Amino acid sequence: MSRPKIGLALSSGVGRGWAHIGVLKALAAANIEVDVVAGTSIGALVGGVHLAGHLDLLEEWALNLNRLRIMRYIDLAPRGGGIIGGRRLQRLLRENLGHLEMEHLPKPFVVVATELENGHEIWLRRGPLVASLQASYALPGVFPPVELDGHQLVDGALVNPVPVSVCRALGARLVIAVNLNADMLGQRRRAPAGEAEMPAGAPWPAGKSGVSMFDGLFGREDSPSMISVMATSLNILQDRLGRSRLAGDPPDVTIAPRVGHIGLLEFDRAEELIAEGEAAVQRSMPFLDEALAVLGD
């Protein structure tokens, strides 16, 4: 019996996206080889880096993130369509991915973005990989839109947070969806009194008000910032939109890491997120085995 053509849909999820790294590692360990990949936002970033052969470097970088290192990649640019310019992150991607074109990746890969002018869902399959990834994670108001082929593009989570439909269009018979937005009921961890909600990792000097620059940008448990409000609002939108789209075009297998207790901006919790991604694959293995048996020719 031959195996079916497998598509992998990697969802949006902001900082929770490091769980995708664990999912990819666990699928590889289980000898489940996917044939096509579609990604939205952080899912596009992880999927693209994986297909470019640098998942291990991304994992190492994520595991070494702390508050101070996160701040080093933030370049404030409030007049450019977003409060963060994104140039430092772009340089980091360029250093590792160079000028790789999407069509030169070893497997078909589609990045989902949103056209700002009209809200159209845009599928990026050819052209510069780094620019396409930037477009897909360009959270409105935080990162500026990315111009590609004369179009202003922003975060794909606004239109297709779990791109199952893309994998179907690419001919996948068995679609595995990794949904990081399914755990809305996860209880958010509460920090002890007097401590910041996000793990410290490394100190950051406080300003005159006694509030650090980090807390001013990303907020604290008792005082959410503009960025955290925007990110949480996007999470609500993508959860509702994702449920609607998945009801109309359900995947054959859903891998749903239990990450609801982790904040959307807690990028420095990669170790926990990667481990949960691996655990989620293990929980889904009976369903994966059954789907492979039923859909195999």
Side-chain angles (χ1 to χ4, degrees):
M1 181 179 65
S2 62
R3 70 172 185 83
K5 184 176 182 179
I6 300 175
L8 181 65
L10 300 175
S11 81
S12 56
V14 200
R16 297 169 181 167
W18 302 143
H20 287 313
I21 298 175
V23 168
L24 289 167
K25 291 175 62 178
L27 290 176
N31 294 317
I32 296 177
E33 183 179 356
V34 300
D35 301 289
V36 298
V37 179
T40 297
S41 197
I42 189 70
L45 174 65
V46 176
V49 173
H50 165 62
L51 290 177
H54 296 298
L55 187 66
D56 55 340
L57 293 177
L58 179 63
E59 180 180 12
E60 181 182 0
W61 181 78
L63 289 171
N64 283 294
L65 280 179
N66 55 39
R67 294 191 354 169
L68 181 56
R69 290 192 175 99
I70 292 171
M71 289 301 300
R72 288 173 178 167
Y73 289 103
I74 294 176
D75 50 335
L76 298 180
R79 295 184 180 180
I83 62 175
I84 297 175
R87 292 181 296 275
R88 296 175 185 172
L89 288 172
Q90 181 187 49
R91 283 198 298 270
L92 179 67
L93 289 171
R94 288 262 186 238
E95 288 172 4
N96 292 279
L97 301 178
H99 296 278
L100 184 62
E101 300 285 316
M102 294 180 66
E103 57 265 37
H104 297 153
L105 293 172
K107 294 180 181 179
F109 177 53
V110 172
V111 166
V112 177
T114 304
E115 191 169 3
L116 186 60
E117 292 90 344
N118 50 40
H120 287 175
E121 179 177 341
I122 303 298
W123 294 0
L124 302 173
R125 187 173 179 179
R126 293 178 175 82
L129 177 60
V130 170
S132 298
L133 299 181
Q134 283 186 285
S136 191
Y137 68 67
L139 179 65
V142 177
F143 291 105
V146 174
E147 183 173 346
L148 285 175
D149 297 327
H151 303 286
Q152 296 289 328
L153 304 179
V154 294
D155 201 315
L158 296 175
V159 289
N160 196 352
V162 192
V164 171
S165 57
V166 182
C167 292
R168 298 281 186 209
L170 292 175
R173 178 167 170 78
L174 191 167
V175 177
I176 303 169
V178 185
N179 189 358
L180 303 182
N181 308 308
D183 189 22
M184 287 292 288
L185 298 180
Q187 292 298 311
R188 191 167 179 77
R189 176 185 60 80
R190 296 295 179 181
E195 293 186 12
E197 181 182 26
M198 187 174 288
W204 187 258
K208 293 181 180 179
S209 66
V211 178
S212 73
M213 182 178 177
F214 188 94
D215 293 327
L217 284 171
F218 293 98
R220 299 173 68 94
E221 185 176 358
D222 58 349
S223 180
S225 70
M226 180 174 67
I227 294 181
S228 64
V229 169
M230 292 170 62
T232 302
S233 299
L234 177 64
N235 188 52
I236 295 171
L237 181 152
Q238 63 192 7
D239 171 62
R240 299 300 186 265
L241 176 60
R243 293 187 194 199
S244 175
R245 296 206 57 159
L246 292 177
D249 192 3
D252 299 292
V253 178
T254 298
I255 297 173
R258 296 167 182 167
V259 294
H261 63 291
I262 296 178
L264 290 169
L265 301 176
E266 294 187 289
F267 287 95
D268 55 348
R269 296 180 68 177
E271 183 175 3
E272 181 180 352
L273 286 160
I274 293 169
E276 174 52 29
E278 293 176 303
V281 172
Q282 295 306 314
R283 292 193 297 269
S284 301
M285 281 308 302
F287 306 103
L288 284 166
D289 291 337
E290 182 179 5
L292 286 167
V294 171
L295 296 176
D297 296 327

